[in-house]
Structure formats: structure tokens, C-alpha cells
Amino acid sequence: MSNTQNHPSPESIMQIGRGFWASKILLSAVKFQIFSTLSERKTMSASEIKSHLGFKCTDRHVFDYLDALTSFGFLNREGMLETAKYSNSIDTDFFLDKNKPSYIGGLLEMFNNRLYGFWGNLEEGLLTGLPQNEVTQGENLFEKLYADPDRLKEFIHAMSGIQMGAFMALAQKLDFSKAKTLLDIGGSAGILSLMVAKHQPHMACVTWDLPAVAPVANEAIQKFQLQDRVNTASGDFFKDEFPKADIVTMGNILHDWDEETKLMLMKKAYDALPEGGTFVAIENIIDEDRNKNAFGLMMSINMLIETGSGFDYTLSDFEKWARQIGFKSVSIMPLAGPTSAAIAIK
């Protein structure tokens, strides 16, 4: 038996090191809406794609670009070079066709339009502890987002896309039997409330966010035809108390902030709950050994880039804060991929 596993290999080092090549190939394909176009037309040749997108590079580079997308599994191909016909793989057709409700490309668009460049300044973020996003041009990310309805909508749909699987899992796995009302803080497009209302017919849900978000959430509520059990409410979680509810949820909210703000938000959730009420934080909870949930760790570094002081955390971090506030018991529920629900009972 060969002893190859004990020989050093540079492969995993290089795979991570050149990861930005693969990333940019996918992100640019999303930007060019290649998958949406192929979903409509079913198959296209390289020359058809080239002329449709107005590429001025050589034919050879168009083949290389499309064949790289094929080698990653994003496209299927029949034939070769000039005779090749390209079509979407099952996953790209489902998740990256802009005209389907299952589209998650909003997040990838945001990676490309914003985060790709900002992550280029990671060293600066680590050296200074300062955010590396719009703040560096003297702008506030959230103020800028909320001031531009189109950009806000793109951001909200991006966030909804990445969280949909986790929200669906929560709506089916959490015990809602003793609850009648749910309040989702920072509810964005209202997807968590909508998933809960859809899977738990006895629940009435309120999705609570800044006033600029309400039109986007109301649009989603209309689409799901759940106006009778899902409502929007507006407030600012720095200034306002939370409305009362049996369950209070926060999806990717706590990780935006430093420890002091996390505690303040958890205390407001505690105050809004009855005895026996449930607080749920849906996040990419980092494993206790801090060596398995790489996505949770990378998301925490992304919070450095975005906020300077926000960070992701382990369940024991969450438990420490929950006990400090007065919650009685804490548990974790794996949801989808790297995402879990940290649950605290009052």
C-alpha cells in the first residue's frame, strides 16, 4: 500500500490560493446573466454567447471561459469548441436563473459589486481594525443602502436568497406548539415570517425593520398571499423597544455588532417575551473547536470588512450572553449548510 498520504502536496494550498480565479469566473457569469439567458434559450454555441454578450476577446478565450464554467459543473456541453452547444446544469438552472423565484444570484451580485473589491483590503482591515467598505469613502453602508431603493432591494433579495434554506428548516423543525405569535427583528423581505406562516397555519407573524424596508416586505407578503397572518411593522432597534411576541427571531443580525450591542439586542428580545418564550438567533454558529465551520469563520472576517467590530460566535459565547441577560436554557438546532439556530428560553 502506498504511503502517498504522508507526502507533502501543495494542491490544497494552491486551490485556496487561486480561489479568486474560480470565484471571479462564476461572479462574472452571473453579472452577464449567462444562466438566465441559457434558461430561456435552452442551448447556445460559444459564438452565439459571444455575440449576445458583446465580448471582444478571441474565440479561444470564449471557449476557455465557457469550458471553465463547464469544468466547475455550472454548464453542460455537447460537442467541442466551434461545434459545442452549452446549456445550464440542474443547479444553475434552478438557482441562477433570474426569472425563477429560487434565484440566489442576488447574493453573488453583491459579492461581485461590493465585497470582491473590499476583500482585496483584508490586510488593511486586520492591521487597522477598521471596516474596508463604503466607510473608507466617508459613507455609511446602511445609510447608503437605505437611501437608494434599487440598491436596498438588491441587498434585501441577496440576504433573502442566502437565508431561504435555513428559514425553511426553522419553520419545520422548531416547536411552535405553545406559541401563537412570532416577531422577526430586522426581518428584511419578511421571508422568515412567511416560511413560518406557510408551515405553521396557527402562527401570526410580524416582520419588523426600518420604514424603508416595508414596501419590499409587503411585496413578498402579497406574492405569498399571506396578508392575513404576516404583517410588517417599522422601528429602529437602537431606539425602540420590541413589540411583544411568544417567539422573537433574528436572522444574521447579532453578528453585525460588537458584544455590547449584541447584549443590548438580546435584552430587548428578552423583555418582549413572556415567561417560557423563545429567542432564536439564526447565524453561521462557529463550532466549539473553531476548526470545522470555515464559512462561519469567514463570515466573521467579513464582519470586520463590513463593520470593523461585528463578529460571529460559538454556542458557548451565545450561552454566556443569554445567561447574563437571564435566559434559563440554551440549545442549538442545525438548519441548512453552515447555518444553525441558537435558541434561548426565558
Side-chain angles (χ1 to χ4, degrees):
M1 186 176 153
S2 84
N3 205 20
T4 47
Q5 66 265 38
N6 295 331
H7 289 277
S9 165
E11 190 40 50
S12 62
I13 296 170
M14 293 312 296
Q15 195 174 1
I16 298 285
R18 63 175 181 257
F20 69 99
W21 290 6
S23 170
K24 195 63 183 175
I25 288 168
L26 172 61
L27 297 180
S28 60
V30 171
K31 183 171 186 162
F32 292 137
Q33 296 189 28
I34 287 174
F35 308 116
S36 303
T37 305
L38 279 170
S39 192
E40 206 178 296
R41 302 203 188 176
K42 302 305 177 213
T43 67
M44 290 172 82
S45 67
S47 64
E48 285 170 332
I49 293 170
K50 183 181 179 179
S51 77
H52 177 75
L53 297 172
F55 286 174
K56 298 286 188 288
C57 60
T58 67
D59 286 354
R60 173 61 65 169
H61 289 126
V62 178
F63 299 141
D64 294 343
Y65 178 65
L66 296 172
D67 289 343
L69 286 165
T70 304
S71 70
F72 297 147
F74 299 128
L75 295 179
N76 295 325
R77 188 193 74 205
E78 282 182 26
M80 184 89 72
L81 302 171
E82 288 83 0
T83 66
K85 289 282 188 189
Y86 294 91
S87 58
N88 284 339
S89 71
I90 292 172
D91 289 347
T92 48
D93 205 62
F94 189 76
F95 291 114
L96 294 179
D97 172 12
K98 219 168 184 165
N99 304 307
K100 290 191 175 77
S102 48
Y103 181 68
I104 59 163
L107 186 74
L108 299 174
E109 288 167 36
M110 193 183 80
F111 284 170
N112 200 38
N113 298 343
R114 293 186 60 250
L115 291 179
Y116 193 86
F118 298 147
W119 267 75
N121 302 324
L122 175 60
E123 298 93 329
E124 190 68 14
L126 290 164
L127 287 167
T128 63
L130 298 172
Q132 297 302 311
N133 60 9
E134 289 85 352
V135 172
T136 58
Q137 284 100 47
E139 296 165 339
N140 176 296
L141 161 64
F142 290 112
E143 276 173 23
K144 194 168 177 191
L145 270 177
Y146 285 90
D148 177 347
D150 290 338
R151 199 146 176 233
L152 179 63
K153 206 168 179 178
E154 178 189 286
F155 179 77
I156 287 172
H157 288 314
M159 294 300 100
S160 303
I162 195 173
Q163 296 179 111
M164 178 70 89
F167 291 168
M168 283 171 73
L170 182 86
Q172 293 169 77
K173 288 171 84 170
L174 190 71
D175 180 8
F176 290 92
S177 62
K178 295 189 182 75
K180 291 195 176 92
T181 55
L182 178 141
L183 171 72
D184 186 28
I185 297 296
S188 199
I191 300 299
L192 188 151
S193 295
L194 289 164
M195 291 300 106
V196 170
K198 188 178 157 192
H199 291 284
Q200 305 292 336
H202 69 288
M203 291 295 294
C205 305
V206 172
T207 182
W208 196 84
D209 212 316
L210 291 168
V213 179
V216 185
N218 282 321
E219 208 179 288
I221 293 165
Q222 297 279 341
K223 201 155 79 177
F224 279 86
Q225 298 191 315
L226 285 165
Q227 302 92 312
D228 56 331
R229 289 189 296 114
V230 180
N231 291 296
T232 57
S234 295
D236 179 333
F237 54 49
F238 284 105
K239 300 176 189 156
D240 304 318
E241 294 309 306
F242 297 168
K244 303 286 186 209
D246 300 329
I247 298 173
V248 175
T249 55
M250 292 181 194
N252 284 341
I253 299 294
L254 287 182
H255 77 155
D256 286 347
W257 310 101
D258 60 16
E259 187 165 348
E260 192 185 341
T261 311
K262 284 176 166 70
L263 282 162
M264 178 274 288
L265 291 170
M266 288 175 73
K267 175 73 169 73
K268 285 192 172 186
Y270 181 88
D271 293 342
L273 290 165
E275 204 64 30
T278 305
F279 171 60
V280 183
I282 298 153
E283 303 264 17
N284 301 291
I285 307 286
I286 297 166
D287 59 285
E288 295 300 325
D289 293 331
R290 296 180 52 81
N291 62 6
K292 294 173 196 73
N293 191 354
F295 184 79
L297 294 163
M298 290 192 290
M299 182 60 91
S300 196
I301 298 163
N302 191 55
M303 289 302 107
L304 164 64
I305 300 284
E306 290 281 39
T307 69
S309 54
F311 62 93
D312 288 71
Y313 48 87
T314 62
L315 185 68
S316 51
D317 292 326
F318 178 83
E319 181 161 18
K320 181 185 75 178
W321 303 323
R323 302 254 180 225
Q324 208 172 314
I325 286 157
F327 285 102
K328 286 200 192 96
S329 67
V330 168
S331 59
I332 190 166
M333 177 185 284
L335 296 175
T339 309
S340 299
I343 301 164
I345 307 291
K346 181 167 171 176

